[in-house]
Amino acid sequence: MEQQANIEPVLRIDNVVKRFGTNTVLDHISFDVHKHETVALLGASGSGKSTLMKCVNLLERVSDGQIWLGDLDITDPRVNSNEVRARIGVVFQHFNLFSHLSVLNNVTLAARKVFKWDKHRAEDRAMDLLKRIGMDGKAKEYPDRLSGGQQQRVAIVRALMMNPELLLLDEITSALDPLLVGEVLEMVEELKGQGATILMATHEMHFARSAADRIVLLRDGKIAENGTPEEVMDNSADPETRAFFKAFRA
């Protein structure tokens, strides 16, 4: 990562604290995500991963600290949340597709209704993205006619519609049948290969090892580790870290 030391990060999380009442869920979290980098956010349930993802997407406001998207402090209450979200693509563990809309209409909805793209521009962009993942033939289908893996791939395409600076993937395989996980992870690998900038929270340890440039391990709302997969998953000197990954290898 030394070669990125002088490159302005796409995402900078600076001393972020998030409290719910007296409960501190995020405790002075700081790390960067650089352009074309894939960072995997790991940790046990309750470690703060989903809360941090929600703070980055402005679904939750931080209690203290700052989050920067490029040169914009997105935690400044004066920023336009919708403009910030237009620069971030988000995919959640539940596909959140509209059942009454076709695949094509699901993918183009925000572009047409929120960003006022004309129909032809939106559909051309959507069909190009769907074709890249071999799903252009499903454009007129409805979500209930698709497998879970196909629905999640459509959700990823929808997140890519506006060519986001940052892609947030929040446990995107958790709701899938194990047999369908592979096709979604394969798509993420392809996005990484195309130079996407990705922050992903995942329980898929093998995938994190193969796809991530860097691992950020959260424990009790704090950063326990921040390093390459080899440094964090194989060579940590911290006994709690070693026990965490050993449990997944057992």
Side-chain angles (χ1 to χ4, degrees), residues 57-215:
N57 197 37
L58 303 184
L59 295 176
E60 293 285 355
R61 288 289 181 179
V62 302
S63 304
D64 200 1
Q66 294 172 298
I67 300 175
W68 295 79
L69 183 63
D71 58 2
L72 178 66
D73 176 7
I74 65 174
T75 47
D76 186 327
R78 297 169 294 183
V79 302
N80 185 313
S81 297
N82 288 330
E83 290 180 4
V84 171
R85 293 191 188 108
R87 298 168 59 186
I88 301 174
V90 186
V91 187
F92 299 101
Q93 58 181 295
H94 298 290
F95 325 123
N96 295 333
L97 299 179
F98 293 104
S99 60
H100 66 289
L101 296 178
S102 68
V103 165
L104 185 60
N105 285 333
N106 264 287
V107 171
T108 61
L109 183 64
R112 290 185 290 109
K113 300 297 186 183
V114 179
F115 301 105
K116 307 304 180 185
W117 285 23
D118 67 62
K119 180 180 178 182
H120 293 297
R121 180 188 179 191
E123 291 189 354
D124 284 351
R125 167 72 172 161
M127 290 302 295
D128 177 59
L129 290 170
L130 289 168
K131 188 173 183 179
R132 287 190 211 174
I133 63 165
M135 288 198 58
D136 48 320
K138 301 287 188 182
K140 294 183 179 179
E141 295 281 10
Y142 287 82
D144 63 0
R145 300 287 299 275
L146 305 178
S147 71
Q150 289 173 325
Q151 289 184 58
Q152 192 60 293
R153 286 157 69 197
V154 170
I156 293 172
V157 164
R158 180 178 59 186
L160 294 173
M161 266 294 288
M162 309 308 296
N163 197 26
E165 296 165 47
L166 175 69
L167 190 59
L168 299 180
L169 307 179
D170 191 6
E171 301 287 5
I172 61 170
T173 59
S174 293
L176 295 179
D177 183 294
L179 295 175
L180 301 175
V181 168
E183 66 182 80
V184 173
L185 299 186
E186 188 175 296
M187 183 177 179
V188 177
E189 288 271 22
E190 290 175 11
L191 293 174
K192 173 181 166 59
Q194 293 165 11
T197 303
I198 301 172
L199 176 63
M200 61 180 188
T202 182
H203 281 100
E204 296 286 340
M205 297 299 163
H206 292 296
F207 177 60
R209 179 189 295 277
S210 65
D213 299 298
R214 195 152 44 85
I215 303 289

Side-chain angles (χ1 to χ4, degrees), residues 28-66:
H28 297 91
I29 299 291
S30 296
F31 66 90
D32 296 343
V33 180
H34 290 86
K35 192 172 185 178
H36 308 315
E37 187 180 29
T38 297
V39 175
L41 199 58
L42 305 182
S45 296
S47 60
K49 300 188 303 297
S50 289
T51 299
L52 181 57
M53 298 288 268
K54 289 176 181 176
C55 288
V56 173
N57 197 37
L58 303 184
L59 295 176
E60 293 285 355
R61 288 289 181 179
V62 302
S63 304
D64 200 1
Q66 294 172 298

